[in-house]
C-alpha cells in the first residue's frame, strides 16, 4: 500500500463524494479541540464557588470571602491574564535547557514560549506599591523602555495584561530572559536600568544614604508606613499574607474535588467501554484502479453510575464505507449496544458506591471550617500570639525601651548630682607628713622656730625650742606657715603631723612646693597633694552609678535590636518585605506612661535652676557673703526669685491638675474597684488613695507657703536701699526653696504614678471554668472536624471489609444492528434501520472467587488500626482543647491578681526611689548607695512588669476566646470585641473611654 498524489489523477465523479468525506473529517477533527481554557476556568470557578458557598451556610463558619483571586493591592496578585500568563524571569543556567538538550543542539520551536505568551520581568506584582503612593507611570519608568519595538523581529512580544491593571501603552517590550544584557534608559539623567532576567532594579538613586548604623534603616526604594494600627496591620495581612491565600485555595481545591465526585453520578458521554465519543476516518489509496476506499467509524455513547453501584451504558456505533470506483459507491451499518451491570457483593450498596462522594462533601465542609478557624487564629496571632508577641507584644517591647530610656535619664540625673557633690572640693587638702626635713624647717620664720615648746629634759636647763623638737621628729602644738611664694598657701600642722595645702594652688606655688627640698619623703607627699588638687575625684558612689548607667545603655541597645528583629518577623507575617520601614501606633502605651512629660520636664527645669542660683555666688562664709552681696544689685536677685516663683506656679498647677482630675477620676470608680478586690487589697487600695489625697493637700500647702515666702522676699528686694544681710538671707531662701521645690516635684511624680496606675483597667472575663470548657467542646471548629474524622475512619473500615468479598455482578447487555454492509443493495445506506432479527441479548452472572485476598486483608486490618487511631486522636484532641482552655483560664485568673500586685509594686518602687534619692542627696545626705541602686532597679522592673502583665492577661483572654470557639471575626478580620474595634488600641480606664483614631500615616518613597 502506498499513498498516491490525488492531483496526478484525472477527476472522476467519485471525487466529489470523497471531498465531502474529507470535509466531514475536517469538521469532526475540530471536535477534540473542545472549548478554550477560559471557558473551563470560568466553569470551574462557577461550580467551585457555588459548592463552597453551599457548605458555608452555618454562621459559625461562614467566611466573608471564598474567591481565590488575590486583592489587586497584594504583592502576589497577578495582573496578567490568567489564561495567557507571560513567561516569568528564569534562572539563566536552567533556561539553557529550554533551548538545548544534551547533544541535540538547539531545540526547534523553543521560541514558541515567548512568541506565544511574551515575557515579564516581574514575579512580584509590580503595582502593589500604588497603595503607598507610587504611581503606575513611576514604576513603569523604573523598568520601561528600551529603544526596540515589539514587531516580532526579535522574537519578543508584549505580555498580555488584564484590562485596567497595566496599561500596555505605558509598558515597553520585554526581552527574552536568556538575554542577560540590561535594558537602559538614557538621556533623562535618571540612569534607570533593570535586569529583565532577574526583574530587579539597577542604577536607581536611593532616597537616602544606605550606610549608617540605624537599626530601623530600611530599603530606600520602598515607602515607609508610620503609626501602623492593629486594624491596619490586619488589613495588610489579609492583603499580603501568603498562608491565608493558601487556605482559600485549599477550600477551592476541595470544592473542585467535590465537583468531580458529583459529576461521576451524572449522565456522562462515555460509551460501554468507558470511551468518549469519537470519529475515525481512514482512506486507502491502492495501486489497482477504482479500488480506493474511505471509511468513517464513529461512536457515541452515554452512561451513568447509579448510587447502589450499578451502571448502565448505551452506545451507538456506525461504520460507513466509501468506494471511489465502479460498483456501489457507499454503504453504512450501525450497532446500538446497551449494558447494565449491578454488583451484588463486592462494590454493591449505596454506602460503598457513595463513599468517595460522601468523603469529598465532608472534606469541603472541613476545609471551610478550617478557613473559619484560621481566621480566628490569624487574628490572635496578629494581635497577641504571632511573631514578637503580635502587635501588643511589639508594643510591650517598645514600652520596655521607653522604661529603659526613662531609667537611663534618672540615672544620668543622679550621676550628675553625685558628680556635683563630689566636685565640692575642700578649701584645704590635708595629707599626713610625720616629719619635716631640715631644709624645710629652716625656711620657717626664726621667731616661730625659736619659741620654747614644752618642758626641758633637765630641770636646770632651758626648755626645747620648736626647731629642736621638729628636728627630733616630735609633735608640737603649733602650725607653721611657709614663707615666700608659699606664704598663705601651705602650712604644716606640727601637732597632727600633716601638710595643709589650699585647693586653689597656682602653678607657681606648685613648682615652689615641689622644688623646696630633695628629701624623697617630702617630695612624694607634695606630689601626692598636687595630684589630688589637679584630679577630679571619682568616688565609689559615682563609679557605681556609672557602672549601672553602662549596663542600662547595653540593655537598651539589645532591646532595640531585639525589637527590630521581631518587627522584621512581624512584617514577614503580614506579607511585607522585611526591609520596609514600619513603625507602630503607640496610643496603647499612653496610660503606661505613669509620669506625664510635663512633670518630668518640670523636674529637669528645677534641677537646672541651680545654675541661676549659683550665679549669685553667695555660698561662702557669712563674712564672705556679706562682702559679696554689697556688689550684687537687688534687681539681679529679684530676677532669680521671679524665675523660681514661675517654677513654683508651674508645679502648683500640675499638682492642682492631679487633685482635680486624676484623683477625682479615681474616686469616681472607687466603689467598683473595691468590689473587685479581696479584703486585704481593699484595705491597701483605700489606704493608698487616702495617702495620695493627703500628699496632694500637703504638696499644695507647701507650695503655697513657698510662693508666699518668695513673694515676701520679692517685696523686700523691691524696697530702696536693700541691705547686704537681706540679700544674703534671700539668697539662702532661694537655695532652700529650690531644694524644697525639687522635693515637691518628685513627690508629685510619686502621687501621679500611684493615681495613674489605679486608672488601668483589665478587659473583663468572668466565665466559670466549667462553662468555658463546655463552650470549647461544643464550638471548636477543629474539634468538630476531628470528631467527624472518627466517622470517616469508621466508614473506611466498612469499605475495606467490602473489598474482602468476592465479585458477583449481574450483567445484562445486548446489541441491536442494522443490516451488514452491502447485504442488501436497496438498504445499504440505511444506518438507522435497526432490525430485531439482527439483534442479540445476553444476561448472566459474573463471579470471582475470594481466594486471593492478601492485599485486601492487609488493607482491612490497616483500616481497623486507623479507626482506633482516629478514636485516640479525637480523645487526645478533646483533652488538648480542655487543657488549652484550662491553661488560658488559669492564666487569666492568676494574671488578674498579679496585675493588682504589680500596681502595688509600682507604687512601692516609686516611693522607695523618692526616699532613696532624698536620703542620698537631701540636706542630711549620707543615704545608702545600695538602696539607691536597688530603688532604680525596682522602679524599672515594676514598670516593665506592669505592661507585660497587662499584655499577658490580654493574650490569655484572646487565647481563651479563640480556644473556646467563641471568637467572632468580622469581615475586616477584627474580633468583634469592644477593645479591638477601636481604631487605635487604648487601654480602657474606668473613668474614660476610647478616643477616636486617625489612619496610619503612609509616606511614599521619593
Amino acid at each position: 500500500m502506498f499513498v498516491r498524489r490525488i492531483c496526478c489523477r484525472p477527476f472522476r465523479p467519485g471525487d466529489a463524494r470523497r471531498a465531502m468525506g474529507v470535509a466531514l473529517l475536517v469538521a469532526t477533527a475540530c471536535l477534540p479541540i473542545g472549548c478554550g481554557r477560559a471557558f473551563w476556568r470560568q466553569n470551574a470557578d462557577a461550580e467551585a464557588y457555588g459548592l463552597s458557598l453551599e457548605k458555608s451556610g452555618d454562621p459559625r463558619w461562614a467566611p466573608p470571602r471564598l474567591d481565590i483571586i488575590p486583592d489587586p493591592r497584594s504583592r502576589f496578585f497577578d495582573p496578567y491574564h490568567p489564561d495567557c500568563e507571560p513567561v516569568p524571569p528564569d534562572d539563566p543556567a536552567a533556561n539553557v535547557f529550554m533551548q538545548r538538550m544534551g547533544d541535540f543542539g538547539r531545540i526547534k520551536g523553543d521560541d514558541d514560549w515567548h512568541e506565544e505568551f511574551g515575557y515579564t520581568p516581574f514575579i512580584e506584582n509590580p503595582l502593589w506599591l500604588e497603595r503607598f503612593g507610587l504611581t503606575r507611570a513611576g514604576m513603569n519608568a523604573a523598568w520601561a523602555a528600551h529603544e526596540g519595538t515589539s514587531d516580532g523581529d526579535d522574537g519578543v512580544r508584549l505580555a498580555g495584561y488584564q484590562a485596567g491593571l497595566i496599561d500596555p501603552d505605558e509598558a515597553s517590550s520585554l526581552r527574552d530572559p536568556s538575554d542577560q544584557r540590561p535594558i537602559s534608559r538614557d538621556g533623562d539623567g535618571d540612569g534607570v536600568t533593570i535586569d529583565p532576567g532577574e526583574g530587579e532594579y539597577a542604577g536607581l538613586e536611593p532616597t537616602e544614604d544606605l550606610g549608617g548604623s540605624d537599626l530601623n534603616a530600611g530599603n530606600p526604594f520602598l515607602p515607609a508606613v508610620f503609626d501602623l494600627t492593629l486594624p491596619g496591620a490586619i488589613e495588610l495581612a489579609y492583603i499580603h499574607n501568603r498562608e491565608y491565600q493558601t487556605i482559600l485555595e485549599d477550600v477551592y481545591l476541595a470544592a473542585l474535588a467535590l465537583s468531580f465526585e458529583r459529576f461521576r453520578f451524572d449522565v456522562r458521554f462515555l460509551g460501554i467501554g468507558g470511551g468518549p465519543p469519537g470519529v475515525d476516518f481512514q482512506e486507502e489509496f491502492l495501486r489497482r484502479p477504482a479500488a480506493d476506499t474511505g471509511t468513517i467509524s464513529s461512536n457515541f455513547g452515554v452512561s451513568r453510575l447509579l448510587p447502589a453501584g450499578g451502571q448502565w451504558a448505551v452506545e451507538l456505533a456506525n461504520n460507513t464505507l466509501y468506494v471511489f470506483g465502479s460498483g456501489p459507491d457507499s454503504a453504512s451499518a450501525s450497532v446500538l449496544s446497551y449494558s447494565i451491570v449491578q454488583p451484588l457483593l463486592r462494590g454493591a450498596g449505596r454506602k460503598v458506591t457513595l463513599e468517595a462522594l460522601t468523603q469529598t462533601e465532608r472534606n469541603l465542609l472541613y476545609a471551610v471550617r478550617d478557613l473559619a478557624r484560621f481566621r480566628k487564629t490569624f487574628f490572635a496571632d496578629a494581635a497577641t500570639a504571632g511573631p514578637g508577641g503580635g502587635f501588643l507584644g511589639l508594643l510591650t517591647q517598645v514600652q520596655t525601651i521607653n522604661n529603659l530610656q526613662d531609667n537611663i535619664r534618672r540615672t544620668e540625673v543622679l550621676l550628675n548630682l553625685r558628680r556635683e557633690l563630689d566636685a565640692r572640693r575642700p578649701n584645704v587638702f590635708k595629707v599626713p607628713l610625720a616629719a619635716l626635713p631640715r631644709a624645710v624647717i629652716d625656711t620657717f620664720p626664726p621667731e616661730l622656730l625659736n619659741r620654747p615648746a614644752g618642758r626641758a629634759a633637765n630641770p636646770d636647763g632651758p626648755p626645747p625650742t620648736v626647731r629642736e623638737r621638729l628636728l627630733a621628729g616630735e609633735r608640737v602644738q603649733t602650725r607653721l606657715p611657709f614663707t615666700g611664694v608659699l606664704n598663705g598657701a601651705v602650712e604644716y600642722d606640727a601637732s597632727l603631723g600633716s601638710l595643709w595645702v589650699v585647693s586653689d594652688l597656682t602653678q607657681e606655688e606648685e613648682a615652689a612646693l615641689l622644688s623646696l627640698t630633695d628629701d624623697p619623703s617630702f617630695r612624694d607627699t607634695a606630689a601626692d597633694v598636687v595630684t589630688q588638687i589637679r584630679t577630679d575625684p571619682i568616688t565609689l558612689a559615682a563609679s557605681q552609678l556609672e557602672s549601672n548607667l553602662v549596663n542600662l545603655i547595653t540593655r537598651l541597645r539589645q532591646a532595640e535590636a531585639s525589637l527590630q528583629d521581631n518587627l522584621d518577623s512581624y512584617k514577614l507575617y503580614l506579607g511585607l518585605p522585611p526591609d520596609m520601614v514600619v513603625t507602630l501606633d503607640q496610643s496603647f502605651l499612653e496610660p503606661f506612661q505613669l509620669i506625664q512629660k510635663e512633670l518630668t520636664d518640670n523636674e529637669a527645669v528645677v534641677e537646672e535652676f541651680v545654675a541661676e542660683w549659683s550665679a549669685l555666688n553667695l555660698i561662702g562664709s557669712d563674712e564672705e557673703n556679706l562682702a559679696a552681696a554689697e556688689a550684687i544689685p537687688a534687681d539681679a536677685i529679684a530676677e532669680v526669685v521671679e524665675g523660681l516663683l514661675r517654677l513654683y506656679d508651674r508645679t502648683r498647677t500640675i499638682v492642682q491638675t492631679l487633685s482635680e482630675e486624676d484623683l477625682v477620676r479615681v474616686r469616681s470608680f472607687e466603689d467598683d474597684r473595691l468590689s473587685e478586690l479581696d479584703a486585704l487589697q481593699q484595705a491597701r487600695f483605700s489606704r493608698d488613695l487616702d495617702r495620695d489625697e493627703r500628699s496632694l493637700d500637703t504638696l499644695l500647702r507647701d507650695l503655697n507657703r513657698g510662693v508666699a515666702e518668695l513673694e515676701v522676699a520679692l517685696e523686700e528686694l523691691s524696697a530702696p536701699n536693700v541691705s547686704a544681710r537681706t540679700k544674703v538671707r534671700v539668697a539662702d531662701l532661694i537655695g532652700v526653696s529650690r531644694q524644697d521645690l525639687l522635693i515637691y516635684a518628685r513627690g508629685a511624680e510619686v502621687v501621679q504614678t500611684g493615681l495613674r496606675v489605679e486608672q488601668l483597667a483589665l478587659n473583663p472575663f468572668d466565665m466559670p471554668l466549667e462553662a468555658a470548657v463546655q463552650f470549647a467542646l461544643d464550638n471548636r471548629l477543629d474539634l468538630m472536624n476531628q470528631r467527624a474524622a472518627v466517622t470517616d475512619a469508621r466508614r473506611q473500615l466498612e469499605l475495606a471489609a467490602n473489598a474482602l468479598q468476592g465479585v458477583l455482578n449481574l450483567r445484562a447487555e445486548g446489541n441491536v444492528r442494522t443490516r451488514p454492509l452491502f447485504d442488501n443493495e436497496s438498504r445499504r445506506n440505511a444506518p438507522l434501520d435497526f432490525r430485531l432479527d439482527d439483534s442479540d441479548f445476553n444476561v448472566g452472572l459474573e463471579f470471582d472467587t475470594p481466594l486471593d485476598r492478601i492485599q485486601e486483608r492487609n488493607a482491612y486490618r490497616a483500616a481497623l488500626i486507623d479507626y482506633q487511631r482516629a478514636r485516640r486522636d479525637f480523645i487526645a484532641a478533646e483533652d488538648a482543647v480542655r487543657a488549652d482552655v484550662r491553661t488560658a483560664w488559669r492564666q487569666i485568673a492568676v494574671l488578674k491578681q498579679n496585675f493588682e500586685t504589680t500596681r502595688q509594686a509600682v507604687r512601692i518602687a516609686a516611693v522607695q526611689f523618692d526616699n532613696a534619692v532624698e536620703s542620698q542627696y537631701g540636706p542630711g545626705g549620707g543615704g545608702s548607695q545600695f538602696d539607691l541602686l536597688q530603688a532604680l532597679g525596682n522602679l524599672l522592673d515594676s514598670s516593665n512588669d506592669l505592661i507585660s502583665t497587662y499584655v499577658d492577661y490580654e493574650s490569655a483572654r484572646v487565647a481563651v476566646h479563640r480556644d473556646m470557639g467563641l471568637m467572632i471575626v468580622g469581615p475586616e478580620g477584627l474580633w468583634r470585641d469592644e477593645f479591638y474595634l477601636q481604631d487605635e488600641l487604648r487601654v480602657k480606664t474606668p473613668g474614660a473611654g476610647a478616643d477616636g483614631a486617625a489612619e496610619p500615616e503612609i509616606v511614599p518613597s521619593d
Side-chain angles (χ1 to χ4, degrees):
M1 181 188 303
F2 66 94
V3 178
R4 187 171 59 194
R5 296 174 60 188
I6 299 177
C7 61
C8 297
R9 188 179 60 188
F11 178 79
R12 293 196 298 266
D15 290 343
R17 286 188 291 272
R18 184 169 62 181
M20 294 178 60
V22 173
L24 179 61
L25 173 64
V26 173
T28 56
C30 294
L31 292 177
I33 299 176
C35 302
R37 60 178 73 180
F39 168 81
W40 289 115
R41 174 178 53 81
Q42 295 168 2
N43 181 267
D45 288 348
E47 191 164 4
Y49 292 146
L51 292 173
S52 301
L53 189 62
E54 177 185 315
K55 295 296 185 292
S56 306
D58 195 307
R60 290 176 295 175
W61 54 76
R65 170 192 168 191
L66 288 169
D67 65 281
I68 61 172
I69 300 176
D71 191 297
R73 299 169 292 175
S74 173
R75 292 178 66 192
F76 47 80
F77 174 75
D78 193 345
Y80 304 101
H81 196 287
D83 301 315
C84 302
E85 289 282 355
V87 178
D90 196 6
D91 174 67
N95 185 260
V96 173
F97 300 105
M98 292 181 63
Q99 304 178 42
R100 59 183 298 116
M101 182 68 66
D103 296 329
F104 294 100
R106 186 172 179 85
I107 302 174
K108 294 182 179 180
D110 68 294
D111 292 337
D112 287 347
W113 282 101
H114 58 75
E115 286 180 351
E116 183 177 0
F117 300 110
Y119 277 98
T120 173
F122 300 109
I123 293 179
E124 184 178 74
N125 175 20
L127 301 182
W128 78 276
L129 291 174
E130 281 193 346
R131 177 178 186 266
F132 300 99
L134 297 185
T135 64
R136 179 185 309 164
M139 281 183 288
N140 283 336
W143 60 275
H146 65 91
E147 306 256 338
T149 58
S150 156
D151 54 9
D153 294 339
D154 55 357
V156 178
R157 78 170 188 85
L158 274 175
Y161 301 105
Q162 289 193 27
L165 296 178
I166 296 182
D167 188 354
D169 294 334
E170 296 181 1
S172 63
S173 56
L174 309 175
R175 290 188 183 274
D176 188 326
S178 62
D179 181 3
Q180 294 303 303
R181 293 171 300 172
I183 56 179
S184 62
R185 178 179 177 183
D186 300 322
D188 57 1
D190 290 340
V192 179
T193 60
I194 185 171
D195 185 336
E198 299 294 336
E200 296 179 352
Y201 297 104
L204 285 172
E205 292 295 331
T207 56
E208 59 184 61
D209 186 8
L210 291 176
S213 58
D214 184 7
L215 297 179
N216 195 29
N219 190 335
F221 303 119
L222 292 176
V225 178
F226 296 119
D227 299 330
L228 178 66
T229 61
L230 179 59
I234 295 290
E235 179 187 4
L236 287 175
Y238 271 91
I239 292 174
H240 300 290
N241 184 269
R242 290 171 281 273
E243 188 178 359
Y244 176 61
Q245 180 66 24
T246 300
I247 293 291
L248 287 172
E249 292 166 349
D250 288 343
V251 175
Y252 183 90
L253 294 175
L256 283 183
L258 174 58
S259 68
F260 175 73
E261 290 299 328
R262 287 191 177 184
F263 176 67
R264 288 179 61 231
F265 292 91
D266 288 342
V267 176
R268 304 176 64 182
F269 294 104
L270 298 176
I272 292 179
V279 177
D280 181 24
F281 177 80
Q282 294 183 357
E283 183 171 1
E284 292 183 305
F285 296 94
L286 304 177
R287 184 179 296 276
R288 298 187 304 274
D292 296 346
T293 62
T295 303
I296 299 179
S297 299
S298 60
N299 66 287
F300 178 84
V302 293
S303 63
R304 184 173 186 180
L305 177 64
L306 301 176
Q311 184 174 9
W312 61 260
V314 177
E315 183 177 48
L316 174 63
N318 175 263
N319 190 17
T320 300
L321 177 66
Y322 292 91
V323 179
F324 304 104
S326 60
D329 55 357
S330 65
S332 180
S334 302
V335 177
L336 180 63
S337 303
Y338 56 89
S339 172
I340 300 177
V341 179
Q342 175 60 54
L344 301 179
L345 292 177
R346 185 174 182 176
R350 299 175 66 91
K351 66 180 182 182
V352 175
T353 307
L354 295 177
E355 171 56 28
L357 176 61
T358 301
Q359 189 61 59
T360 52
E361 293 273 5
R362 293 164 70 95
N363 287 344
L364 179 56
L365 176 63
Y366 302 161
V368 173
R369 284 177 177 170
D370 288 341
L371 173 60
R373 173 67 179 170
F374 175 82
R375 296 184 73 245
K376 299 175 190 294
T377 58
F378 193 60
F379 170 81
D381 290 345
T384 62
F391 191 85
L392 293 185
L394 292 173
L395 287 179
T396 301
Q397 296 178 58
V398 173
Q399 184 59 35
T400 299
I401 291 174
N402 293 341
N403 292 339
L404 275 170
Q405 292 172 339
D406 185 65
N407 207 262
I408 288 173
R409 178 190 63 81
R410 294 176 184 273
T411 305
E412 288 175 340
V413 170
L414 295 177
L415 180 58
N416 291 333
L417 288 175
R418 171 50 56 191
R419 285 171 176 169
E420 288 180 10
L421 292 176
D422 294 342
R424 295 176 185 175
R425 302 149 60 86
N427 294 328
V428 177
F429 284 86
K430 303 176 182 180
V431 293
L433 183 61
L436 290 173
R438 180 183 295 272
V440 175
I441 295 175
D442 291 341
T443 63
F444 292 127
E447 60 273 14
L448 294 179
L449 292 176
N450 295 327
R451 286 190 310 180
R455 296 179 180 180
N458 186 357
D460 298 331
T465 64
V466 172
R467 184 175 185 276
E468 291 173 344
R469 296 195 62 177
L470 288 178
L471 290 175
E474 297 177 355
R475 296 284 187 267
V476 183
Q477 295 295 327
T478 185
R479 286 169 56 181
L480 303 171
F482 283 61
T483 58
V485 176
L486 298 178
N487 185 26
V490 183
E491 291 182 353
Y492 180 73
D493 190 336
S495 63
L496 300 176
S498 61
L499 186 68
W500 292 20
V501 182
V502 297
S503 59
D504 55 348
L505 199 67
T506 65
Q507 292 184 352
E508 181 183 4
E509 292 168 342
E510 289 178 7
L513 180 62
L514 294 174
S515 61
L516 196 59
T517 179
D518 293 333
D519 182 77
S521 176
F522 184 87
R523 288 181 62 86
D524 290 344
T525 302
D528 180 57
V529 72
V530 169
T531 301
Q532 292 186 39
I533 293 172
R534 292 177 178 175
T535 305
D536 291 333
I538 300 178
T539 62
L540 176 61
S543 62
Q544 288 175 334
L545 285 172
E546 287 180 347
S547 177
N548 187 59
L549 179 61
V550 169
N551 292 333
L552 289 172
I553 292 174
T554 302
R555 289 177 59 184
L556 176 63
R557 290 172 182 153
Q558 292 294 335
E560 289 174 338
S562 178
L563 172 63
Q564 293 306 318
D565 290 342
N566 290 325
L567 189 57
D568 283 351
S569 299
Y570 193 70
K571 286 183 278 189
L572 289 174
Y573 178 78
L574 299 182
L576 300 176
D579 54 351
M580 185 175 183
V581 175
V582 174
T583 64
L584 305 178
D585 175 72
Q586 300 183 20
S587 303
F588 171 79
L589 300 179
E590 291 179 5
F592 295 95
Q593 299 292 343
L594 302 179
I595 301 176
Q596 65 188 80
K597 189 174 183 300
E598 183 181 5
L599 199 52
T600 56
D601 292 345
N602 181 68
E603 181 185 353
V605 173
V606 174
E607 290 171 348
E608 294 170 358
F609 187 78
V610 69
E612 299 183 34
W613 173 61
S614 300
L616 298 177
N617 197 24
L618 296 178
I619 55 176
S621 62
D622 292 342
E623 296 79 5
E624 294 172 344
N625 289 342
L626 289 173
E630 294 289 348
I632 300 176
D635 294 341
I637 301 177
E639 185 177 349
V640 176
V641 174
E642 290 173 352
L644 189 57
L645 264 175
R646 287 192 294 270
L647 291 179
Y648 262 83
D649 287 337
R650 178 178 176 177
T651 306
R652 184 169 56 179
T653 302
I654 294 173
V655 174
Q656 286 176 341
T657 302
L658 289 176
S659 178
E660 295 172 359
E661 295 182 5
D662 289 355
L663 180 62
V664 171
R665 187 179 298 120
V666 175
R667 286 292 189 190
S668 67
F669 57 80
E670 181 178 3
D671 294 338
D672 294 333
R673 285 279 288 120
L674 290 173
S675 64
E676 300 173 352
L677 306 177
D678 56 32
L680 180 61
Q681 292 172 338
Q682 288 177 353
R684 181 177 297 165
F685 174 79
S686 299
R687 181 195 64 200
D688 290 341
L689 196 56
D690 292 341
R691 183 180 60 196
D692 291 338
E693 187 170 8
R694 290 194 302 272
S695 297
L696 287 175
D697 292 341
T698 302
L699 284 173
L700 285 174
R701 187 165 55 250
D702 292 341
L703 287 168
N704 290 330
R705 183 180 66 250
V707 169
E709 291 176 352
L710 291 174
E711 288 176 346
V712 170
L714 200 59
E715 291 179 1
E716 293 179 353
L717 292 173
S718 62
N721 301 322
V722 180
S723 65
R725 189 167 299 278
T726 300
K727 297 177 183 178
V728 171
R729 182 170 53 79
V730 172
D732 292 340
L733 176 64
I734 293 174
V736 173
S737 299
R738 176 255 178 193
Q739 187 66 31
D740 291 343
L741 183 59
L742 191 58
I743 294 173
Y744 302 152
R746 290 174 181 153
E749 291 181 1
V750 173
V751 176
Q752 186 178 57
T753 299
L755 292 176
R756 289 276 174 106
V757 79
E758 295 295 347
Q759 296 179 50
L760 297 173
L762 296 173
N763 295 312
F765 177 80
D766 299 316
M767 184 177 293
L769 177 59
E770 295 77 9
V773 171
Q774 191 59 46
F775 268 112
L777 297 177
D778 294 340
N779 294 279
R780 275 283 290 267
L781 300 181
D782 55 337
L783 191 61
M784 295 179 186
N785 289 351
Q786 193 73 40
R787 182 183 292 109
V790 179
T791 305
D792 292 340
R794 180 63 183 84
R795 292 197 322 275
Q796 293 300 317
L797 175 61
E798 289 301 315
L799 219 63
N802 179 264
L804 294 172
Q805 302 183 64
V807 175
L808 180 61
N809 297 338
L810 175 63
R811 178 180 293 276
E813 56 187 17
N815 300 293
V816 180
R817 300 181 179 86
T818 64
R819 290 186 178 277
L821 292 174
F822 306 111
D823 180 64
N824 187 341
E825 185 69 21
S826 61
R827 302 299 299 270
R828 64 179 184 271
N829 288 322
L832 300 180
D833 184 20
F834 295 102
R835 306 178 64 84
L836 292 179
D837 53 353
D838 289 329
S839 302
D840 59 73
F841 176 74
N842 301 311
V843 63
L845 291 176
E846 188 177 60
F847 178 67
D848 181 9
T849 58
L851 299 179
D852 186 2
R853 288 292 186 267
I854 299 301
Q855 184 176 358
E856 288 79 2
R857 177 205 68 182
N858 294 345
Y860 173 68
R861 195 66 185 93
L864 287 171
I865 294 174
D866 290 342
Y867 174 61
Q868 297 304 323
R869 286 181 175 179
R871 292 178 61 244
R872 295 197 301 270
D873 290 344
F874 172 71
I875 295 171
E878 199 172 44
D879 290 344
V881 168
R882 287 191 177 98
D884 290 344
V885 174
R886 290 171 63 86
T887 299
W889 191 92
R890 280 193 295 264
Q891 282 294 309
I892 289 176
V894 171
L895 291 169
K896 195 172 185 179
Q897 296 299 319
N898 286 352
F899 191 71
E900 295 299 329
T901 304
T902 307
R903 290 184 204 263
Q904 190 65 23
V906 173
R907 278 181 168 273
I908 294 172
V911 174
Q912 180 187 11
F913 176 74
D914 183 62
N915 292 337
V917 172
E918 181 64 23
S919 64
Q920 184 76 222
Y921 300 101
S928 171
Q929 182 74 8
F930 174 77
D931 292 341
L932 180 62
L933 294 175
Q934 186 181 47
L936 275 170
N938 291 343
L939 188 61
L940 175 62
D941 293 340
S942 61
S943 300
N944 291 339
D945 290 343
L946 183 67
I947 186 170
S948 62
T949 304
Y950 183 96
V951 172
D952 288 345
Y953 171 88
E954 192 57 32
S955 298
R957 191 176 76 93
V958 171
V960 77
H961 281 87
R962 177 200 62 199
D963 294 338
M964 287 192 302
L966 295 183
M967 179 181 289
I968 300 175
V969 179
E972 73 287 352
L974 292 173
W975 178 23
R976 313 308 292 174
D977 180 78
E978 182 182 1
F979 177 69
Y980 291 102
L981 290 179
Q982 304 174 90
D983 291 335
E984 293 177 344
L985 288 185
R986 293 184 181 274
V987 178
K988 293 298 183 66
T989 58
D995 297 331
E999 290 295 323
E1001 180 186 359
I1002 298 176
V1003 180
S1005 168
D1006 290 340

